[in-house]
Structure formats: C-alpha cells, structure tokens
Amino acid sequence: MNRRRFLSTCTAAAGAAIAAPVFGAAPALAQPATGSSSGGGLGTRLVPADKRGIILYTVRDATGRDPLSSDLPSGFREVFKELARYGYKQVEFAGYGQHANAPGGANLESVAGAKLLRSWLDEYGLRAQGNHGFIPSSWPLTQADTDQFKKHLEIANILGMDHMGTGGDPTGSSYKADWDVAADKWNALGRIAGRAGLKLYTHNHDAAYGFLIDGGPLDDQGRPTRSSGIRKLEYFLRISDPKTVWLEMDIFWAHVAQYKFHTYTAHDGSTRENFFDPAALVVAHNARYPLFHAKDGTRNDTNGMGYDMVPFGEGVIDYRTFFKRVGARNYRNPMVEQDNAPSATVPGQSLTHARIGYDNLAALRK
C-alpha cells in the first residue's frame, strides 16, 4: 500500500463545435460495461453513475454563503449533502475556502481541514477527484514553492484524490520556447506528484488550443512570427512526459477554440486552414485525458467566442457524440461546470443548475 492509499484509508477510518459533426473512431483504453446500466433497452449510459461529478466552482456562492443568514445549503458540508441528494458521486475542488460561519471555519487548506472535508465526503458518499489549486509560479522551483506544493499533495492524499491539478494553462505564451520551459517545469512537478501517488493535470481554456508561433521571419525582439499549424497544447502533449503529466479538457473551451482558431499564417506567409476536432485530440492521446469539464453552450456568433454558457444539457454541444467517440467511459471523470451559475438575484440558482446538469449528464446514452 503506497503512502497516498495509506493516508486515504486511515483518514476514511477516522472520519467513518461549431455545431458541425465531428468524425473519428473511439479508443479502446477501457471497455464499456454493459448489462444492468443499459436501462430497459434504451442503451448503455455514457457516463457511469460513479463517474458523475461536479467542480465546486459551479456552486461557489453556496459554499461561500453565510449559514446564519440563509436557509439554503451553505458551506462545504451542506453543499456536499445537497449534491449527493441530486446523485453526484464525485466533486472537484476549486480551493478550500468557505464562509467563516460554516462548520470548520473559512479556510480548510490544511491537514486538519482536509480531514474534516474527508469526513463529510465520506458521510455523503462522495469522492474527491481533483482540485484547481496551487501550482508553483517559480522556475526553477524555490524551496517555499516546493514546500507549498507538497502541502497540497498531502491535502489531496487525505481527501483521497487520484489527481491534483490547476485551472490554468501551462503558459499563456504562444511561443514555442516558452512551451518548452513549461514542459520542463510540469515534468518536474509531475515527478514530485507521482512520488506522492498522485497524477498531476493541467486544465485548458480556449487559448491553449490556438496555434503555436514557431517559425517564419523574426520580429524586432528576435521572436518568430508565424506557425507550423500545430496547436500549443498539442505541442505540450508531444514534449511533456505521458508518465507524469495528465490533462483535463474543458470541452466548452475546446469548442470555443474550434470556433476561434481555424486559420493560421504558415512559415511561408500563406494562410492555411486547420479545423480543430476536440474529440480526435482526446482519442490521439487517450490515457492522458482522465478528466473533463462538462460545460454546455448555445451558439452566439456575436460575442467572439461562438457560444454562451448555459446549464449542462441545455446547449448545442453534442456531448452524446463526444462521449461516444472518446470512449473509455470507466476511465474518464466528467465534471459538470457552469461558470455563470451563481446569480446575484436568485440565490438558489447555482444549485438548481447543478441538479439540471446532473440529470442531463445521467441521461446521456449510446
């Protein structure tokens, strides 16, 4: 039993599209289960019950709500209870802060706080499956950053996670040289995480699927100005270590990238087209995508993104086709997310949208 499993077990005991079709074959990483999950001949559920999750950023207003001033669920414990009531089995953290009047206090980013969170997760039959948390800004790593990173690995172990990650891209740059540095850093961090028994993952936004600037004439600072047509995160996948670095695809932002980034200026100055197929990228790097953000959108050709965020299942992104194509349903962990679910005028909206998201995720069938 490795250290992560030991800590997890001890704590548990103590706590008692551009809306066009996309094409490609599904991978064979894990064979879909059949039989009882098929539900009366309606087809196998694409997301098994134990894989249906939500990132707590979706309901951040609820975890941050003052329990003394509202009858709505507030703080981690009551929000866990409500999410479990909807049917969720997994949660992804977005930090460990809540309202100061909630049980445990405002900041649970500690060993003691993690033990308390774990006891509540166990109480309601939930499993932690990642966190958008601390990734060191320094490189080479400072001792302070290394210690802080290891502290977060310790917290992740106590919570029982298999994965720990971040909500940002490896770098915000478009230049190849900066992605080379980012890969070196993430490979090193991934090795540290691996020694703690965890898989380190990075999360994408649309910019990461833009085109890498890696050739052509140099600008006045000596930097390249044109692209070979490879996308930035595709290049990162190529040069990062598949044994130590994993990824979480935000499917909404990948579709925004599909809308935004379809032409590039080649090294010879010509304009070329390269249509982005998010599911095909997952298939090509099958085992490296254990996590997804399942976020939906309706079409909007006037906002520069191509989509407006809506509750999961109420948009036009074809999740049924996406999940069928990427396959390996017993390996993937889709987390419902909606950035704009909290409302200033409807206090219970984010939890209502979380329930809608669960129902629609559970309804997806082959």
Side-chain angles (χ1 to χ4, degrees), residues 2 20 211:
N2 66 28
F211 294 104

Side-chain angles (χ1 to χ4, degrees), residues 58-105:
T58 301
V59 293
R60 61 193 179 277
D61 62 324
T63 53
R65 187 163 26 235
D66 184 354
L68 303 182
S69 63
S70 176
D71 292 330
L72 293 168
S74 53
F76 281 118
R77 186 177 189 178
E78 289 303 310
V79 169
F80 290 165
K81 180 179 180 180
E82 188 72 0
L83 295 174
R85 190 173 71 84
Y86 300 158
Y88 285 107
K89 293 298 183 183
Q90 298 196 121
V91 297
E92 183 179 27
F93 284 86
Y96 303 111
Q98 61 173 359
H99 196 279
N101 289 331

Side-chain angles (χ1 to χ4, degrees), residues 95-116:
Y96 303 111
Q98 61 173 359
H99 196 279
N101 289 331
N107 185 6
L108 296 175
E109 190 179 289
S110 64
V111 168
K115 291 178 179 178
L116 192 58

Side-chain angles (χ1 to χ4, degrees), residues 20-349:
V22 288
F23 305 95
L29 180 69
Q31 295 301 317
T34 57
S36 61
S37 64
S38 60
L42 295 176
T44 301
R45 294 185 187 273
L46 286 169
V47 181
D50 64 342
K51 294 295 186 179
R52 297 171 199 157
I54 184 170
I55 180 168
L56 296 174
Y57 184 72
T58 301
V59 293
R60 61 193 179 277
D61 62 324
T63 53
R65 187 163 26 235
D66 184 354
L68 303 182
S69 63
S70 176
D71 292 330
L72 293 168
S74 53
F76 281 118
R77 186 177 189 178
E78 289 303 310
V79 169
F80 290 165
K81 180 179 180 180
E82 188 72 0
L83 295 174
R85 190 173 71 84
Y86 300 158
Y88 285 107
K89 293 298 183 183
Q90 298 196 121
V91 297
E92 183 179 27
F93 284 86
Y96 303 111
Q98 61 173 359
H99 196 279
N101 289 331
N107 185 6
L108 296 175
E109 190 179 289
S110 64
V111 168
K115 291 178 179 178
L116 192 58
L117 286 167
R118 177 62 185 270
S119 71
W120 298 335
L121 290 167
D122 290 347
E123 181 179 2
Y124 297 113
L126 294 170
R127 179 176 183 183
Q129 194 58 276
N131 176 44
H132 285 198
F134 177 77
I135 295 294
S137 59
S138 62
W139 184 250
L141 297 174
T142 65
Q143 188 60 52
D145 274 354
T146 301
D147 292 344
Q148 180 75 347
F149 184 62
K150 289 181 177 180
K151 170 188 170 182
H152 278 261
L153 293 171
E154 182 81 358
I155 289 170
N157 273 325
I158 293 168
L159 289 170
M161 297 179 187
D162 285 330
H163 310 87
M164 191 188 83
T166 180
D169 298 322
T171 174
S173 171
S174 294
Y175 297 105
K176 176 179 177 293
D178 294 327
W179 283 87
D180 289 336
V181 172
D184 288 343
K185 176 178 178 177
W186 274 80
N187 286 340
L189 291 172
R191 288 192 291 272
I192 296 171
R195 289 194 290 270
L198 289 154
K199 295 179 178 179
L200 185 69
Y201 68 91
T202 178
H203 170 83
N204 73 269
H205 293 91
D206 57 303
Y209 294 113
F211 294 104
L212 190 72
I213 304 301
D214 57 1
L218 302 181
D219 64 14
D220 56 5
Q221 298 181 53
R223 299 175 302 186
T225 57
R226 296 174 183 170
S227 179
S228 60
I230 187 173
R231 297 176 187 275
K232 291 180 276 187
L233 207 60
E234 291 175 330
Y235 180 66
F236 181 78
L237 280 160
R238 180 185 299 174
I239 62 173
S240 58
D241 187 347
K243 298 187 296 295
T244 60
V245 180
W246 283 262
L247 293 93
E248 175 180 66
M249 176 180 279
D250 186 307
I251 300 167
F252 173 89
W253 289 115
H255 280 74
V256 171
Q258 184 185 72
Y259 176 86
K260 291 173 63 174
F261 306 119
H262 51 86
T263 60
Y264 65 96
T265 302
H267 292 176
D268 62 6
S270 63
T271 299
R272 301 187 186 181
E273 188 168 45
N274 180 347
F275 182 77
F276 179 45
D277 181 348
L281 182 64
V282 175
V283 171
H285 300 276
N286 199 353
R288 300 194 72 180
Y289 279 98
L291 296 149
F292 294 123
H293 276 187
K295 182 190 302 176
D296 215 341
T298 53
R299 285 305 304 271
N300 182 342
D301 292 325
T302 66
N303 67 357
M305 300 196 310
Y307 296 89
D308 290 325
M309 290 182 199
V310 297
F312 181 83
E314 295 190 352
V316 299
I317 295 176
D318 188 353
Y319 274 92
R320 180 173 180 268
T321 296
F322 181 90
F323 284 133
K324 284 177 65 177
R325 289 183 63 209
V326 301
R329 72 190 193 100
N330 294 312
Y331 177 69
R332 319 288 187 196
N333 299 278
M335 303 291 170
V336 167
E337 183 180 38
Q338 185 189 349
D339 294 357
N340 58 359
S343 167
T345 57
V346 185
Q349 177 176 286

